[in-house]
Amino acid sequence: MRDAVAADQRGPAARLRGLLARERLLVAPGVFDGLSARLAERSGSEAVYASGGAIARSAGYPDLGLLGVGEVLERLAQITEAVSIPVIADADTGYGNALNVRRAVRAFERVGVAALHLEDQESPKRCGHYEGKRLVPTGEMVGKLRAALEARRDPDLVIIARTDAVAVEGLEAALERASAYREAGADVLFVEAPESEAQIEAIAARLPGPKLINVFRGGKTPLLPAERLAELGYRVAILPSDLQRAAIRAMQETLEAIGRDGNASAVDDRLASFSERDEIVGLGAYRALDERYGDAAAGAAGPGE
């Protein structure tokens, strides 16, 4: 994967646009730190989704818009540093009004994301599959999108417009909002939480251009095969919480063994090996660099010093 990326000298945003131009679905697993992002890249994923909800939960908070932009940016920087594939980021509501959106887009771009999505919820937001969401007026969201589009320095940075209107105002209103966001210049549309296959099909049929869909077991949206979503015209599927939920269960089972036995021997066959753990984070490459820099320092000192 890294060799293929090295051969492609385009930036991550331009590479993401190339992936979106294909007539197949880009599946982006949800990640929340550098380790989960590395694992996704090693698995063959072509892009990852930096999930705001997963990042919040990894800090011990629910997905209720409780983290500040600085906390999110710190984590995004870790993720983009850890991988060479494009990172799609969750920018929530843009952390305030259109002026805040402008600053947020510039900051997200500086840490190296390829795309970000903004949503039309009031701040603080809620997870798209929770009840009790409230929306800002369509005009306010259009203003935020215009601010985002004008703020980007790289014209390839992908701006994704998300609407949460299905649960609040109904499908027709969601489609109207999404159409307005497309007219404002959004590159990709994201209608959150359709509740039936018929709604998924209607969104695909009535909204032109690339579309993103959020898919995970346990949410409001039924799971359709990737091939079917691609046929309908969806170009990106994000899976925000699956990796984190898998990690939670694995840690719970390991902690049960530790609490019972005083060690994790009972689940040893499910643990990454000592060497595999270090290989995933590139220990060998860092040691080689350390030796090279050490040799350079020794040579620079000269004899007798």
Side-chain angles (χ1 to χ4, degrees):
M1 177 62 68
R2 286 185 178 272
D3 290 341
V5 170
D8 188 342
Q9 298 303 310
R10 297 176 298 169
R15 283 187 272 122
L16 179 61
R17 284 186 179 269
L19 295 172
L20 295 177
R22 306 176 305 180
E23 293 187 359
R24 67 177 188 265
L25 190 71
L26 172 65
V27 178
V31 300
F32 47 92
D33 60 10
L35 179 60
S36 58
R38 276 183 178 264
L39 288 169
E41 182 176 39
R42 287 165 60 93
S43 77
S45 296
E46 296 178 290
V48 292
Y49 173 59
S51 163
I55 289 172
R57 286 186 292 272
S58 73
Y61 296 102
D63 186 11
L64 295 174
L66 297 173
L67 296 189
V69 64
E71 295 168 292
V72 174
L73 285 168
E74 182 178 2
R75 189 65 63 83
L76 289 175
Q78 295 171 5
I79 291 169
T80 58
E81 174 70 17
V83 297
S84 56
I85 56 178
V87 176
I88 302 167
D90 180 354
D92 286 343
T93 64
Y95 306 96
N97 64 17
L99 297 180
N100 299 110
V101 168
R102 183 180 176 87
R103 290 198 68 203
V105 169
R106 291 275 172 90
F108 274 52
E109 194 172 23
R110 283 196 297 272
V111 299
V113 304
L116 60 91
H117 70 70
L118 295 163
E119 62 199 62
D120 57 7
Q121 287 194 50
E122 289 185 4
S123 182
K125 55 76 58 80
R126 294 174 181 244
C127 167
H129 293 252
Y130 290 171
E131 301 297 331
K133 296 180 289 185
R134 296 189 300 270
L135 307 181
V136 299
T138 301
E140 181 177 338
M141 180 62 176
V142 165
K144 286 185 172 186
L145 289 170
R146 288 175 178 165
L149 293 162
E150 291 178 6
R152 61 183 176 186
R153 291 187 167 93
D154 180 356
D156 285 323
L157 180 70
V158 178
I159 302 298
I160 303 166
R162 165 177 152 177
T163 179
D164 286 73
V166 171
V168 181
E169 300 174 344
L171 178 63
E172 289 301 319
L175 293 171
E176 290 177 7
R177 280 177 172 264
S179 294
Y181 304 160
R182 170 75 71 200
E183 290 177 10
D187 298 304
V188 176
L189 296 179
F190 174 10
V191 178
E192 173 66 307
E195 298 178 1
S196 67
E197 185 170 348
Q199 288 189 347
I200 294 172
E201 293 173 349
I203 291 164
R206 294 175 58 182
L207 295 176
K211 289 167 285 291
L212 180 152
I213 187 167
N214 181 4
V215 294
F216 64 95
R217 188 169 298 281
K220 294 184 176 183
T221 303
L223 300 182
L224 299 185
E227 296 79 6
R228 176 60 178 152
L229 291 172
E231 288 173 1
L232 290 171
Y234 290 93
R235 289 294 171 261
V236 188
I238 55 171
L239 291 77
S241 64
D242 290 10
L243 289 184
Q244 188 170 66
R245 290 162 69 181
I248 289 170
R249 178 64 72 236
M251 287 190 285
Q252 286 174 328
E253 292 176 354
T254 302
L255 287 166
E256 287 174 7
I258 291 172
R260 182 183 64 247
D261 306 327
N263 59 63
S265 297
V267 295
D268 188 63
D269 61 334
R270 283 173 274 168
L271 302 182
S273 69
F274 188 88
S275 59
E276 182 184 8
R277 177 201 63 182
D278 289 336
E279 192 270 332
I280 288 169
V281 294
L283 176 62
Y286 278 101
R287 281 179 167 167
L289 285 172
D290 190 36
E291 290 177 7
R292 180 159 65 85
Y293 298 147
D295 290 343
E305 295 185 17

